Amino acid sequence: MLTTALLSFSLVLSPCMLRPDAVAARCPRVQAGLFDLFKESEEQKAAKEAAFREQQEILARRRDPEKWAAYERAVAERRAASIASDAELRAMQSGKVDGDVLDAWKKLKEEGKVVTTDTAQRDKDSERFGSDGLIGERMDANMPYIDQGYVDESQ
C-alpha cells in the first residue's frame, strides 16, 4: 500500500520538483503555451514602473501647495512662450499688415515662421500605404485667411 502511494506520488511530481538544486540544469522552465502571452517582459515592467512613479509625482504635486504653484507657473510660462511665438502670424491673420494678407503670409512662410503641411513634423508610427504620416497640430490655424475668409476680387 505504501509503495503504491509512493509510486503514484512520484508519477505526479517531476524530479525538478523533488530536488530543484540537483536537477535544475536538466529541467527546462515550464511553459504553458497560450498563457505565456500574458507574461510581462522586462521592458513592459520598466514602462509600468515609470508610469507609476510619474503618477505618484503628480499626486504629490497636487497635495503640496508649493509644488502646485511652481507647476502652474511653469505651465503659464510655456503658454506665454507659445503665444508669443505665433504673435506675428496672428497679427497678420487679423489683417494688421500693410498690403495683401496672402503676400505677408508667403513672406512668413519663406522665413520659416509658419508651419505648413510640407514643413510640419509627421508622426512616423502612422505611416501606412504611402502616407507620410499624421501631423500632430492643426494646419488650418496657420492659413492666412482663417479669421476673415478669402474672397476672390475678380468676382
Side-chain angles (χ1 to χ4, degrees), residues 70-134:
Y71 173 74
E72 284 186 331
R73 279 192 302 273
V75 169
E77 290 171 4
R78 281 197 318 266
R79 288 178 181 164
S82 176
I83 290 170
S85 69
D86 294 338
E88 195 173 354
L89 175 64
R90 302 295 170 236
M92 183 270 314
Q93 287 173 335
S94 63
K96 299 176 184 170
V97 293
D98 295 332
D100 188 27
V101 175
L102 184 59
D103 293 333
W105 183 81
K106 287 179 181 178
K107 182 181 174 192
L108 287 175
K109 182 180 173 185
E110 288 172 5
E111 294 172 0
K113 295 180 180 178
V114 174
V115 178
T116 62
T117 55
D118 299 330
T119 59
Q121 183 177 1
R122 295 180 177 266
D123 181 23
K124 295 295 181 191
D125 292 336
S126 63
E127 291 180 349
R128 286 176 183 73
F129 301 116
S131 169
D132 292 332
L134 299 175

Side-chain angles (χ1 to χ4, degrees), residues 32-68:
L34 174 66
F35 297 104
D36 289 337
L37 296 173
F38 300 110
K39 289 185 180 178
E40 288 182 324
S41 67
E42 294 301 319
E43 178 180 295
Q44 290 172 326
K45 288 179 184 177
K48 260 183 156 176
E49 187 64 31
F52 179 74
R53 280 193 303 272
E54 187 175 335
Q55 287 175 344
Q56 294 303 312
E57 290 172 9
I58 291 170
L59 291 173
R61 183 175 56 226
R62 288 179 180 170
R63 290 185 189 116
D64 188 1
E66 293 174 4
K67 287 183 180 179
W68 185 252

Side-chain angles (χ1 to χ4, degrees), residues 15-28:
C16 298
M17 298 170 88
L18 295 174
R19 294 181 36 206
D21 55 333
V23 289
R26 293 185 307 165
C27 298

Side-chain angles (χ1 to χ4, degrees), residues 89-96 101 140-150:
L89 175 64
R90 302 295 170 236
M92 183 270 314
Q93 287 173 335
S94 63
K96 299 176 184 170
V101 175
D140 63 335
N142 297 335
M143 301 309 287
Y145 297 104
I146 189 166
D147 287 335
Q148 68 262 22
Y150 175 75

